[in-house]
Amino acid sequence: MSNIPVIAFGSSPDVYYIGLGMRYYMAGMPESVRPTIQKLPAIQLQWMSIEEDGSWATREGYGCRTEFSTSVTQGAIDKIKAFPAADYVTFGPTKSIFCAITPGQGWAGSMADEQIEKLREMQASVGGEDVFNQGLKGILFGKGMTMIFMFKGGFSYYTDSEAEGGKMESLLNEYIYRQPAWTLERGSTLCPWNVDYYFLKFKDPESSTIKMFWSLPQSMADNLADLQATLATPEAQQAIANHEQLGLVLATSNYVQYTNGWPVYFTQNLSIAAANALRVSTGAYVYRW
């Protein structure tokens, strides 16, 4: 939907992607991502994941294909290029850690020993390895050993000592015990370098209501506020309507024409002051399908 942002944290405050509607902001990303995000506006992306070294993968929603940089961890590339192919990939705070979900085929990944230990504990807590494997929709990796396990009928999480008792854990607890259980949706993401930053999308299985919560560094929060302001204008709404009507092939080929006057904001080396990185902006948004 056009009012859902796409947010991806990199390995430091000056590496990220944030998009909404037809526009985006980007900082510190490699040149390899430029062709993809210039032809695919945020409205057309389901999710984006960034590795520690800036390697990236993103899912295009209309044609249901995953685009990625060739420097992505090889195990993840193998799953993206397989048949059937993985349709959701998340990366950990260090290189080579990932989780890939393949429809009908389960999941595959690579993790540190301590993460594997916590995963085994989680498998036992939900009824065993088979139950865990059949229900897993993805794993979100945060700073340290923090992980959120996304299931078809809910979610579970493990927070390490730094995140324990923090505001993100309080938010997770607010939704994890609801009846029926709410789920965490793809496109949610955790920051790999600060436990207080996140973007989470919770879904009520009965009403299909989705509640989005975010806590972002001030520069990213400013970017999001600007994107939201643009989204509210009649011109932006018309551009989105045109894009949704055209379909994948025609939409991408005519992208520059109907977004004329709505520039794509690309910042290769956007600097974020340390003072701003320590300031947190939070928000919430609710919508129904």
Side-chain angles (χ1 to χ4, degrees):
M1 295 180 67
S2 61
N3 58 351
I4 305 175
V6 178
I7 297 175
F9 295 98
S11 60
S12 68
D14 55 354
V15 181
Y16 64 84
Y17 170 91
I18 180 168
L20 181 65
M22 304 300 297
R23 295 179 54 209
Y24 69 85
Y25 283 93
M26 183 176 73
M29 295 285 286
E31 283 294 316
S32 62
V33 77
R34 186 197 295 258
T36 292
I37 62 174
Q38 287 188 334
K39 73 181 177 182
L40 300 176
I43 190 177
Q44 206 167 326
L45 301 180
Q46 295 180 349
W47 51 263
M48 178 179 285
S49 298
I50 304 174
E51 277 201 277
E52 181 188 31
D53 62 355
S55 301
W56 55 273
T58 189
R59 183 74 170 177
E60 187 276 320
Y62 292 178
C64 295
R65 70 180 188 274
T66 300
E67 299 199 8
F68 57 93
S69 59
T70 56
S71 56
V72 162
T73 293
Q74 187 60 48
I77 291 179
D78 292 343
K79 292 301 177 181
I80 293 171
K81 296 174 68 175
F83 182 81
D87 65 354
Y88 185 47
V89 178
T90 53
F91 298 119
T94 57
K95 185 70 175 179
S96 81
I97 293 176
F98 75 94
C99 176
I101 305 295
T102 303
Q105 301 292 317
W107 69 280
S110 175
M111 302 178 197
D113 290 344
E114 186 177 349
Q115 289 173 316
I116 294 174
E117 178 184 345
K118 299 305 177 184
L119 182 143
R120 298 302 184 199
E121 293 177 4
M122 189 62 64
Q123 287 177 329
S125 71
V126 299
E129 184 175 348
D130 289 343
V131 174
F132 178 93
N133 293 345
Q134 292 172 11
L136 189 68
K137 294 197 309 180
I139 300 176
L140 303 180
F141 299 96
K143 184 180 179 182
M145 294 296 108
T146 295
M147 295 180 287
I148 300 178
F149 301 89
M150 306 159 63
F151 297 109
K152 296 175 182 177
F155 66 92
S156 296
Y157 69 87
Y158 170 79
T159 50
D160 65 12
S161 57
E162 185 177 357
E164 187 174 358
K167 60 182 181 180
M168 184 185 72
E169 185 174 71
S170 297
L171 179 61
L172 293 172
N173 286 339
E174 181 180 346
Y175 285 90
I176 198 170
Y177 298 116
R178 295 197 174 193
Q179 293 297 329
W182 286 50
T183 59
L184 261 178
E185 296 299 290
R186 292 179 177 182
S188 298
T189 186
L190 303 180
C191 177
W193 49 269
N194 189 311
V195 297
D196 290 326
Y197 298 148
Y198 53 81
F199 173 61
L200 299 175
K201 301 192 298 183
F202 299 93
K203 182 178 180 180
D204 180 351
E206 290 190 333
S207 66
S208 292
T209 296
I210 288 185
K211 293 187 177 182
M212 299 186 294
F213 298 87
W214 59 86
S215 176
L216 305 173
Q218 192 61 49
S219 293
M220 291 181 69
D222 291 343
N223 292 162
L224 179 57
D226 181 64
L227 294 173
Q228 289 173 320
T230 297
L231 186 68
T233 64
E235 295 86 351
Q237 290 298 312
Q238 185 60 57
I240 289 170
N242 292 344
H243 187 85
E244 291 177 332
Q245 291 171 2
L246 287 173
L248 175 63
V249 176
L250 190 57
T252 53
S253 64
N254 288 313
Y255 171 59
V256 176
Q257 295 180 23
Y258 64 73
T259 58
N260 186 30
W262 296 96
V264 171
Y265 285 78
F266 177 84
T267 308
Q268 180 64 20
N269 292 304
L270 181 64
S271 62
I272 299 178
N276 281 344
L278 295 176
R279 291 160 52 197
V280 181
S281 175
T282 60
Y285 191 84
V286 181
Y287 69 89
R288 294 178 183 271
W289 284 359

